């Protein structure tokens, strides 16, 4: 039943950052993701969202986000509608709150990939159906779900795992820090001075029971890590900062030399990767890399998330 027909006045279950789920809800979503993954591998039907529609708003382009959500809805028996900024009135100056209220009358859920985090908050405030954050400049919680699913598969669980983030304290890093706190993962973050995770995010992580270690030394960060995670140094919209950032991040590359200090660690990257910058081609192609398992898990984790928000 879509937003136009529903008579349920209860608040929709939004997912704007990873700490919108409790530890038990995180386990619930990850358990369901593994069920869906097994069902797909075995060819079993799992059309749990039959005839439901996901509206997908994209201000930022993406490979993994679009394809995983669209494919996921199809596999769940539903349908996804791609809405680029130039395809809807949003690109012609319609207020977000009007777009949100209108879409709520047509679709069962909205996924939005936007620039400002306040934009996803406005969409959620005025929506009568669940809103999922596909990415903002501050957060990437869907990626964190896939990350935690990958770590759980790789390590046999989450509690007590040691992870190192090496590189830019960007939106992926911020959601990952919160996800580690919820999951009981021991996190060390290594970033250059001036490029760290926002202190308010660390405060939220501590409120969730986490205790992230912060350093400017990548070797210190990875020395006891089970998981090493990195992302691009130059994100969309930061191209004019390229020269400054390349100088600032010297020494933070995830390379074979860095991995010598963590001989058993697996390597993660959310993709797309700038090979030869934040990570070497040798590492991403090595048997230490779980990068493409991680990319696949976007599909399974997001199917579980969609089922959870539409429960």
């Amino acid at each position: 039943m879509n937003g136009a027909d529903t008579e349920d006045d209860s608040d929709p279950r939004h997912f704007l950052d990873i700490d919108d789920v409790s530890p038990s809800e995180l386990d619930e979503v990850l358990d369901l993701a593994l069920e869906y993954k097994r069902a797909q591998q075995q060819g079993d039907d799992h059309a749990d969202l039959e005839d439901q529609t996901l509206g997908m708003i994209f201000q930022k382009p993406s490979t993994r986000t679009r394809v995983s959500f669209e494919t996921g809805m199809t596999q769940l028996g539903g349908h996804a509608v791609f809405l680029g900024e130039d395809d809807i009135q949003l690109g012609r100056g319609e207020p977000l709150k009007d777009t949100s209220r209108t879409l709520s009358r047509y679709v069962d859920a909205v996924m939005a990939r936007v620039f400002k985090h306040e934009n996803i908050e406005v969409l959620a405030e005025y929506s009568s159906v669940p809103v999922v954050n596909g990415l903002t400049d501050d957060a990437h919680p869907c990626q964190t779900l896939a990350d935690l699913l990958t770590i759980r598969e790789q390590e046999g669980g989450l509690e007590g795992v040691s992870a190192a983030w090496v590189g830019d304290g960007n939106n992926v890093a911020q959601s990952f820090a919160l996800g580690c706190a919820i999951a009981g993962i021991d996190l060390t973050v290594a970033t250059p001075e001036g490029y760290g995770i926002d202190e308010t995010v660390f405060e939220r992580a501590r409120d969730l029971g986490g205790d992230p270690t912060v350093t400017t030394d990548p070797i210190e960060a990875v020395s006891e890590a089970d998981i090493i995670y990195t992302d691009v140094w130059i994100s969309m919209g930061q191209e004019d900062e390229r020269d400054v950032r390349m100088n600032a991040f010297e020494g933070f590359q995830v390379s074979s030399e860095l991995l010598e200090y963590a001989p058993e660690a697996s390597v993660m990257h959310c993709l797309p990767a700038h090979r030869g910058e934040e990570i070497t081609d040798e590492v991403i192609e090595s048997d230490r890399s779980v990068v493409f398992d991680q990319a696949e898990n976007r599909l399974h984790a997001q199917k579980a998330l969609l089922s959870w928000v539409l429960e």
Side-chain angles (χ1 to χ4, degrees):
M1 182 178 292
N2 66 29
D5 298 326
T6 183
E7 297 178 359
D8 185 359
D9 293 329
S10 62
D11 291 335
R13 182 180 269 180
H14 301 307
F15 183 72
L16 307 188
D17 208 341
I18 190 67
D19 52 350
D20 284 339
V21 297
S22 66
S24 61
E25 289 169 333
L26 176 63
D27 286 341
E28 179 185 344
V29 172
L30 295 182
D31 286 346
L32 183 56
L34 288 173
E35 289 180 26
Y36 281 148
K37 188 170 186 175
R38 284 191 290 268
Q40 181 180 327
Q41 291 170 341
Q42 296 168 5
D44 295 337
D45 177 70
H46 51 288
D48 292 346
L49 298 182
E50 191 171 3
D51 297 328
Q52 299 200 49
T53 300
L54 174 70
M56 305 190 303
I57 298 174
F58 280 82
Q59 288 184 327
K60 283 187 173 184
S62 172
T63 300
R64 278 148 291 275
T65 299
R66 178 177 178 178
V67 176
S68 56
F69 270 109
E70 196 162 331
T71 301
M73 278 301 289
T74 299
Q75 292 178 353
L76 290 169
H79 177 63
V81 180
F82 175 82
L83 303 167
E85 192 171 29
D86 294 332
D87 299 324
I88 56 178
Q89 296 301 319
L90 188 63
R92 300 176 179 85
E94 181 175 59
L96 275 169
K97 60 184 180 181
D98 292 358
T99 297
S100 182
R101 286 184 287 203
T102 301
L103 284 178
S104 296
R105 304 296 183 99
Y106 298 146
V107 303
D108 299 281
V110 173
M111 185 281 297
R113 184 177 168 93
V114 298
F115 287 94
K116 296 180 180 179
H117 194 78
E118 65 190 51
N119 288 347
I120 200 80
E121 293 174 333
V122 171
L123 285 169
E125 179 181 357
Y126 289 92
S127 177
S128 59
V129 300
V131 172
V132 170
N133 180 2
L135 175 140
T136 68
D137 286 345
D138 292 344
H140 200 353
C142 290
Q143 180 63 55
T144 301
L145 283 179
D147 298 338
L148 296 176
L149 180 62
T150 305
I151 294 171
R152 180 167 153 175
E153 289 181 313
Q154 190 70 19
E155 299 296 324
L158 295 172
E159 187 76 29
V161 172
S162 178
W165 177 274
V166 178
D168 190 22
N170 61 13
N171 50 358
V172 177
Q174 295 194 152
S175 289
F176 185 65
L178 296 173
C180 286
I182 297 169
I185 293 173
D186 181 21
L187 176 65
T188 301
V189 177
T191 61
E193 291 284 355
Y195 294 93
I197 290 173
D198 193 281
E199 180 57 34
T200 61
V201 174
F202 285 132
E203 291 173 3
R204 288 161 64 191
R206 287 189 283 269
D207 288 343
L208 292 165
D211 187 22
T213 300
V214 181
T215 180
T216 57
D217 184 354
I219 294 174
E220 177 187 346
V222 306
S223 61
E224 296 183 3
D226 302 306
I227 300 291
I228 299 171
Y229 196 170
T230 191
D231 191 12
V232 295
W233 297 338
I234 304 158
S235 299
M236 281 183 282
Q238 298 174 335
E239 290 79 8
D240 58 345
E241 303 174 29
R242 179 175 180 81
D243 291 344
V244 173
R245 282 178 167 267
M246 289 298 290
N247 287 329
F249 284 93
E250 185 175 356
F252 282 80
Q253 184 183 73
V254 176
S255 62
S256 295
E257 289 75 21
L258 184 63
L259 293 189
E260 290 177 3
Y261 296 93
E264 303 298 324
S266 299
V267 176
M268 295 172 56
H269 192 303
C270 62
L271 299 178
H274 295 168
R275 298 182 185 218
E277 293 183 8
E278 75 279 357
I279 191 168
T280 63
D281 187 79
E282 180 183 13
V283 167
I284 209 168
E285 295 291 347
S286 73
D287 58 6
R288 305 277 295 276
S289 169
V290 294
V291 168
F292 295 101
D293 295 327
Q294 185 184 358
E296 178 190 340
N297 281 337
R298 287 288 302 277
L299 172 65
H300 310 301
Q302 286 162 189
K303 284 160 67 174
L305 175 65
L306 289 169
S307 287
W308 182 75
V309 299
L310 288 166
E311 186 179 44

